[in-house]
Amino acid sequence: MKDIVTVGEILIDLTYSGRENGIPVYKANPGGAPANVAVAAARLGADTAFIGKVGQDYYGGFLRQTLAENSVDTTGMLTDSEAPTTLAVVSVSETGERSFSFYRKNCADTLLSSEEISLDLLGNTRFLHFGSVSLTTDPARAATLFAAKKAKKLGATVTYDPNYRANLWTGEDVAVEQMKSVLDIVDILKISDEELPLLTGTTDPEEGTRLLHEQYGIPLILLTLGPDGAYYRRGNETGKAEGFKVKVADTNGAGDTFFGAFLSRMASLGIYRPEELSEAQLFESVRTANLAASMTTSRHGAIPAMPNLDELEEKLQAEVK
Protein backbone atom coordinates (compact mmCIF):
# COMPACT_ATOMS: atom_id res chain seq x y z
CA MET A 1 0.00 0.00 0.00
CA LYS A 2 1.42 3.37 -1.05
CA ASP A 3 1.11 6.42 1.17
CA ILE A 4 0.69 8.84 -1.74
CA VAL A 5 0.09 8.46 -5.48
CA THR A 6 0.20 11.65 -7.53
CA VAL A 7 -1.11 12.04 -11.08
CA GLY A 8 -0.54 14.79 -13.64
CA GLU A 9 2.23 16.76 -15.27
CA ILE A 10 5.95 16.24 -15.03
CA LEU A 11 8.21 18.59 -16.96
CA ILE A 12 11.47 20.47 -17.19
CA ASP A 13 11.74 23.88 -15.53
CA LEU A 14 14.28 25.90 -17.50
CA THR A 15 15.18 28.34 -14.75
CA TYR A 16 17.09 31.54 -15.43
CA SER A 17 20.40 31.50 -13.59
CA GLY A 18 22.20 34.60 -14.89
CA ARG A 19 24.22 35.64 -17.93
CA GLU A 20 27.52 34.54 -19.42
CA ASN A 21 29.07 36.93 -21.92
CA GLY A 22 25.70 38.66 -22.24
CA ILE A 23 23.85 35.39 -23.04
CA PRO A 24 21.02 34.27 -20.71
CA VAL A 25 21.77 30.94 -19.01
CA TYR A 26 19.02 28.55 -17.90
CA LYS A 27 19.33 25.46 -15.71
CA ALA A 28 17.19 22.42 -16.56
CA ASN A 29 15.50 21.46 -13.29
CA PRO A 30 12.94 18.65 -12.90
CA GLY A 31 9.46 19.98 -12.14
CA GLY A 32 5.70 19.66 -12.46
CA ALA A 33 3.57 20.12 -9.34
CA PRO A 34 2.31 16.52 -8.84
CA ALA A 35 5.81 15.13 -9.41
CA ASN A 36 7.17 17.72 -6.98
CA VAL A 37 4.69 16.64 -4.30
CA ALA A 38 5.67 12.99 -4.78
CA VAL A 39 9.37 13.79 -4.38
CA ALA A 40 8.87 16.15 -1.44
CA ALA A 41 6.91 13.50 0.44
CA ALA A 42 9.33 10.71 -0.50
CA ARG A 43 12.31 12.69 0.76
CA LEU A 44 10.52 12.98 4.07
CA GLY A 45 9.92 9.25 4.39
CA ALA A 46 6.61 8.60 2.61
CA ASP A 47 6.12 5.74 0.13
CA THR A 48 5.05 7.52 -3.07
CA ALA A 49 4.33 6.84 -6.73
CA PHE A 50 3.79 9.05 -9.78
CA ILE A 51 1.41 8.56 -12.71
CA GLY A 52 2.10 10.63 -15.83
CA LYS A 53 3.77 10.72 -19.23
CA VAL A 54 7.03 12.01 -20.68
CA GLY A 55 8.54 12.03 -24.16
CA GLN A 56 11.05 9.51 -25.47
CA ASP A 57 13.81 12.10 -25.31
CA TYR A 58 16.69 13.14 -23.09
CA TYR A 59 14.50 15.16 -20.76
CA GLY A 60 12.00 12.33 -20.37
CA GLY A 61 14.76 9.94 -19.36
CA PHE A 62 16.21 12.52 -17.00
CA LEU A 63 12.84 13.01 -15.27
CA ARG A 64 12.29 9.28 -14.86
CA GLN A 65 15.77 8.92 -13.40
CA THR A 66 15.18 11.85 -11.03
CA LEU A 67 12.03 10.28 -9.60
CA ALA A 68 13.73 6.91 -9.22
CA GLU A 69 16.72 8.49 -7.47
CA ASN A 70 14.28 10.09 -5.02
CA SER A 71 12.58 6.75 -4.28
CA VAL A 72 9.37 7.59 -6.18
CA ASP A 73 7.75 4.53 -7.80
CA THR A 74 7.61 5.10 -11.60
CA THR A 75 5.70 1.97 -12.63
CA GLY A 76 2.74 4.20 -13.55
CA MET A 77 4.88 6.59 -15.60
CA LEU A 78 4.62 6.20 -19.38
CA THR A 79 6.79 7.26 -22.32
CA ASP A 80 5.35 8.65 -25.56
CA SER A 81 7.42 7.76 -28.63
CA GLU A 82 6.23 10.76 -30.65
CA ALA A 83 5.37 13.65 -28.32
CA PRO A 84 8.14 15.62 -26.59
CA THR A 85 8.53 16.27 -22.87
CA THR A 86 6.97 19.55 -21.71
CA LEU A 87 9.19 22.55 -21.00
CA ALA A 88 8.46 25.52 -18.73
CA VAL A 89 10.72 28.57 -18.82
CA VAL A 90 10.88 29.97 -15.29
CA SER A 91 11.95 33.56 -14.77
CA VAL A 92 12.85 34.53 -11.20
CA SER A 93 12.73 38.11 -9.93
CA GLU A 94 15.22 39.70 -7.53
CA THR A 95 12.88 38.80 -4.62
CA GLY A 96 12.68 35.15 -5.69
CA GLU A 97 9.18 35.33 -7.20
CA ARG A 98 8.74 33.28 -10.36
CA SER A 99 6.80 33.56 -13.63
CA PHE A 100 6.23 30.82 -16.22
CA SER A 101 6.18 30.42 -20.01
CA PHE A 102 5.10 26.96 -21.17
CA TYR A 103 6.05 24.95 -24.25
CA ARG A 104 3.34 22.31 -23.87
CA LYS A 105 1.09 22.07 -26.94
CA ASN A 106 0.73 18.39 -27.92
CA CYS A 107 3.43 17.45 -25.43
CA ALA A 108 3.56 14.11 -23.64
CA ASP A 109 1.98 15.04 -20.29
CA THR A 110 -1.17 16.35 -22.01
CA LEU A 111 -1.67 13.04 -23.84
CA LEU A 112 -2.09 10.76 -20.82
CA SER A 113 -5.34 8.80 -21.28
CA SER A 114 -7.69 7.13 -18.81
CA GLU A 115 -6.85 3.71 -20.26
CA GLU A 116 -3.20 4.25 -19.36
CA ILE A 117 -3.84 4.88 -15.65
CA SER A 118 -2.63 2.10 -13.35
CA LEU A 119 -5.68 0.69 -11.55
CA ASP A 120 -3.35 -1.21 -9.25
CA LEU A 121 -1.85 2.05 -7.97
CA LEU A 122 -5.28 3.69 -7.62
CA GLY A 123 -6.53 0.81 -5.49
CA ASN A 124 -3.45 0.65 -3.28
CA THR A 125 -2.84 4.16 -2.00
CA ARG A 126 -3.89 6.14 1.07
CA PHE A 127 -3.80 9.52 -0.73
CA LEU A 128 -4.44 10.37 -4.39
CA HIS A 129 -3.15 13.82 -5.29
CA PHE A 130 -3.65 15.95 -8.41
CA GLY A 131 -3.52 19.59 -9.52
CA SER A 132 -5.31 21.84 -11.97
CA VAL A 133 -2.59 22.03 -14.65
CA SER A 134 -3.56 18.57 -15.92
CA LEU A 135 -7.18 19.80 -16.23
CA THR A 136 -6.32 22.26 -19.01
CA THR A 137 -6.80 19.89 -21.94
CA ASP A 138 -7.98 16.41 -22.88
CA PRO A 139 -7.14 13.56 -22.79
CA ALA A 140 -5.08 14.41 -19.66
CA ARG A 141 -8.07 16.13 -18.06
CA ALA A 142 -10.32 13.08 -18.45
CA ALA A 143 -7.51 10.82 -17.22
CA THR A 144 -6.94 12.95 -14.13
CA LEU A 145 -10.64 13.05 -13.26
CA PHE A 146 -10.88 9.30 -13.80
CA ALA A 147 -7.95 8.69 -11.46
CA ALA A 148 -9.30 10.95 -8.71
CA LYS A 149 -12.83 9.55 -8.79
CA LYS A 150 -11.72 5.94 -9.09
CA ALA A 151 -9.22 6.23 -6.23
CA LYS A 152 -11.84 7.88 -4.02
CA LYS A 153 -14.29 5.07 -4.78
CA LEU A 154 -11.57 2.59 -3.83
CA GLY A 155 -11.03 4.28 -0.46
CA ALA A 156 -8.28 6.86 -1.00
CA THR A 157 -8.29 10.37 0.47
CA VAL A 158 -8.30 12.79 -2.49
CA THR A 159 -6.06 15.86 -2.29
CA TYR A 160 -5.98 18.77 -4.75
CA ASP A 161 -3.97 21.89 -5.51
CA PRO A 162 -5.60 24.38 -7.92
CA ASN A 163 -2.25 25.85 -8.98
CA TYR A 164 -3.21 28.57 -11.45
CA ARG A 165 -1.02 29.20 -14.51
CA ALA A 166 -2.78 31.87 -16.56
CA ASN A 167 -1.04 31.24 -19.88
CA LEU A 168 -2.16 27.58 -19.95
CA TRP A 169 -5.83 28.55 -20.16
CA THR A 170 -7.88 30.24 -22.89
CA GLY A 171 -9.21 32.69 -20.30
CA GLU A 172 -9.61 33.28 -16.58
CA ASP A 173 -13.31 32.37 -16.62
CA VAL A 174 -12.57 29.00 -18.20
CA ALA A 175 -9.78 28.36 -15.70
CA VAL A 176 -11.93 29.18 -12.68
CA GLU A 177 -14.78 27.01 -13.96
CA GLN A 178 -12.51 24.01 -14.47
CA MET A 179 -10.58 24.55 -11.23
CA LYS A 180 -13.86 24.61 -9.29
CA SER A 181 -15.37 21.65 -11.14
CA VAL A 182 -13.52 19.06 -9.06
CA LEU A 183 -13.89 20.59 -5.59
CA ASP A 184 -16.83 18.40 -4.59
CA ILE A 185 -14.65 15.25 -4.65
CA VAL A 186 -11.76 16.78 -2.66
CA ASP A 187 -10.96 15.75 0.92
CA ILE A 188 -7.93 18.03 1.45
CA LEU A 189 -7.54 21.24 -0.53
CA LYS A 190 -4.26 23.12 -0.62
CA ILE A 191 -4.72 26.61 -2.04
CA SER A 192 -2.47 29.68 -2.10
CA ASP A 193 -3.32 33.27 -1.25
CA GLU A 194 -2.99 34.03 -4.99
CA GLU A 195 -5.70 31.53 -5.94
CA LEU A 196 -8.13 32.17 -3.06
CA PRO A 197 -9.69 35.31 -4.62
CA LEU A 198 -9.98 33.51 -7.98
CA LEU A 199 -12.15 30.79 -6.47
CA THR A 200 -13.98 32.77 -3.79
CA GLY A 201 -13.91 36.46 -4.72
CA THR A 202 -12.23 37.42 -1.43
CA THR A 203 -8.67 37.69 -0.12
CA ASP A 204 -9.79 37.16 3.49
CA PRO A 205 -8.57 33.74 4.73
CA GLU A 206 -11.44 33.17 7.16
CA GLU A 207 -14.18 34.21 4.73
CA GLY A 208 -12.63 32.51 1.69
CA THR A 209 -12.08 29.16 3.39
CA ARG A 210 -15.56 29.34 4.93
CA LEU A 211 -17.12 29.82 1.50
CA LEU A 212 -15.17 26.87 0.10
CA HIS A 213 -16.12 24.63 3.00
CA GLU A 214 -19.81 25.55 2.93
CA GLN A 215 -20.20 25.34 -0.84
CA TYR A 216 -18.23 22.17 -1.48
CA GLY A 217 -18.07 20.41 1.88
CA ILE A 218 -14.27 20.11 1.80
CA PRO A 219 -13.18 18.50 5.10
CA LEU A 220 -9.78 20.26 5.34
CA ILE A 221 -8.54 23.41 3.62
CA LEU A 222 -4.91 24.52 3.82
CA LEU A 223 -4.26 28.10 2.68
CA THR A 224 -0.62 29.00 2.17
CA LEU A 225 0.31 32.63 2.82
CA GLY A 226 3.89 32.79 1.57
CA PRO A 227 6.26 34.06 4.28
CA ASP A 228 3.30 34.52 6.65
CA GLY A 229 2.82 30.76 7.01
CA ALA A 230 -0.48 28.97 6.51
CA TYR A 231 -4.12 29.25 7.60
CA TYR A 232 -6.27 26.16 7.88
CA ARG A 233 -9.92 25.26 8.25
CA ARG A 234 -11.46 21.95 9.30
CA GLY A 235 -15.19 22.56 9.45
CA ASN A 236 -15.71 25.35 11.98
CA GLU A 237 -12.21 24.84 13.43
CA THR A 238 -9.62 27.30 12.12
CA GLY A 239 -6.02 28.11 12.93
CA LYS A 240 -2.81 29.59 11.66
CA ALA A 241 0.79 28.44 11.82
CA GLU A 242 3.35 31.19 11.36
CA GLY A 243 6.03 30.99 8.68
CA PHE A 244 9.79 30.78 9.17
CA LYS A 245 12.06 33.65 8.16
CA VAL A 246 14.69 32.76 5.55
CA LYS A 247 16.62 34.55 2.85
CA VAL A 248 14.62 33.65 -0.26
CA ALA A 249 16.55 32.35 -3.25
CA ASP A 250 13.68 30.86 -5.28
CA THR A 251 10.02 30.23 -4.41
CA ASN A 252 9.57 27.60 -7.12
CA GLY A 253 8.31 24.36 -5.56
CA ALA A 254 7.52 25.88 -2.16
CA GLY A 255 3.81 25.07 -2.26
CA ASP A 256 4.47 21.54 -3.47
CA THR A 257 7.01 21.01 -0.70
CA PHE A 258 4.45 22.30 1.80
CA PHE A 259 1.80 19.84 0.66
CA GLY A 260 4.21 16.93 0.30
CA ALA A 261 5.50 17.58 3.81
CA PHE A 262 1.99 17.85 5.24
CA LEU A 263 0.84 14.57 3.66
CA SER A 264 4.03 12.77 4.66
CA ARG A 265 3.50 13.97 8.22
CA MET A 266 0.00 12.53 8.23
CA ALA A 267 1.36 9.24 6.85
CA SER A 268 4.06 9.10 9.51
CA LEU A 269 1.31 9.43 12.13
CA GLY A 270 -0.62 6.60 10.49
CA ILE A 271 -3.54 8.98 9.92
CA TYR A 272 -5.06 9.31 6.46
CA ARG A 273 -8.34 11.12 7.11
CA PRO A 274 -8.22 14.81 8.09
CA GLU A 275 -11.01 14.43 10.64
CA GLU A 276 -8.89 11.92 12.57
CA LEU A 277 -6.09 14.40 13.32
CA SER A 278 -6.14 15.86 16.81
CA GLU A 279 -5.98 19.67 17.06
CA ALA A 280 -2.34 19.43 18.13
CA GLN A 281 -1.44 17.03 15.31
CA LEU A 282 -3.10 19.28 12.73
CA PHE A 283 -1.25 22.38 13.94
CA GLU A 284 2.12 20.62 14.15
CA SER A 285 1.66 19.10 10.69
CA VAL A 286 0.97 22.54 9.19
CA ARG A 287 3.89 24.07 11.11
CA THR A 288 6.24 21.33 9.91
CA ALA A 289 5.04 21.84 6.33
CA ASN A 290 5.77 25.57 6.68
CA LEU A 291 9.31 24.80 7.79
CA ALA A 292 9.91 22.37 4.90
CA ALA A 293 8.63 24.96 2.42
CA SER A 294 10.85 27.68 3.87
CA MET A 295 13.89 25.42 3.50
CA THR A 296 13.04 24.91 -0.18
CA THR A 297 12.74 28.66 -0.80
CA SER A 298 16.19 29.23 0.69
CA ARG A 299 17.76 27.23 -2.17
CA HIS A 300 17.47 27.27 -5.96
CA GLY A 301 15.27 24.97 -8.03
CA ALA A 302 12.21 22.98 -6.98
CA ILE A 303 13.10 19.30 -6.53
CA PRO A 304 16.84 19.97 -5.99
CA ALA A 305 15.99 22.36 -3.13
CA MET A 306 13.65 20.08 -1.17
CA PRO A 307 14.82 18.94 2.28
CA ASN A 308 15.26 15.33 3.33
CA LEU A 309 13.92 13.92 6.60
CA ASP A 310 17.19 14.29 8.53
CA GLU A 311 17.52 17.95 7.52
CA LEU A 312 13.93 18.69 8.47
CA GLU A 313 14.10 16.91 11.83
CA GLU A 314 17.34 18.70 12.69
CA LYS A 315 15.78 22.05 11.82
CA LEU A 316 12.65 21.21 13.83
CA GLN A 317 14.77 20.40 16.88
CA ALA A 318 16.65 23.69 16.49
CA GLU A 319 13.37 25.63 16.27
CA VAL A 320 12.08 23.96 19.46
CA LYS A 321 15.20 25.02 21.30
Side-chain angles (χ1 to χ4, degrees), residues 101-116:
S101 298
F102 287 88
Y103 296 83
R104 191 170 177 247
K105 188 174 182 180
N106 297 322
C107 286
D109 80 276
T110 69
L111 302 177
L112 180 70
S113 68
S114 300
E115 294 75 21
E116 293 172 319

Side-chain angles (χ1 to χ4, degrees), residues 154-178:
L154 293 171
T157 296
V158 173
T159 73
Y160 172 56
D161 181 359
N163 42 334
Y164 179 57
R165 301 286 180 262
N167 53 5
L168 288 179
W169 300 91
T170 55
E172 186 177 297
D173 290 347
V174 174
V176 171
E177 179 184 356
Q178 293 298 329

Side-chain angles (χ1 to χ4, degrees), residues 232 234 237 269 277-286:
Y232 55 91
R234 182 171 58 176
E237 175 192 352
L269 293 168
L277 290 166
S278 70
E279 289 185 26
Q281 288 170 332
L282 176 55
F283 175 80
E284 285 303 322
S285 296
V286 174

Side-chain angles (χ1 to χ4, degrees), residues 93-163:
S93 71
E94 291 182 0
T95 59
E97 293 300 318
R98 69 266 160 83
S99 59
F100 295 83
S101 298
F102 287 88
Y103 296 83
R104 191 170 177 247
K105 188 174 182 180
N106 297 322
C107 286
D109 80 276
T110 69
L111 302 177
L112 180 70
S113 68
S114 300
E115 294 75 21
E116 293 172 319
I117 299 286
S118 168
L119 295 178
D120 183 58
L121 285 175
L122 297 185
N124 289 282
T125 185
R126 303 289 190 178
F127 295 104
L128 188 286
H129 173 72
F130 71 104
S132 63
V133 168
S134 57
L135 302 180
T136 55
T137 185
D138 281 318
R141 179 177 186 275
T144 303
L145 290 174
F146 167 78
K149 291 177 180 179
K150 184 69 172 179
K152 189 177 182 78
K153 187 176 181 180
L154 293 171
T157 296
V158 173
T159 73
Y160 172 56
D161 181 359
N163 42 334

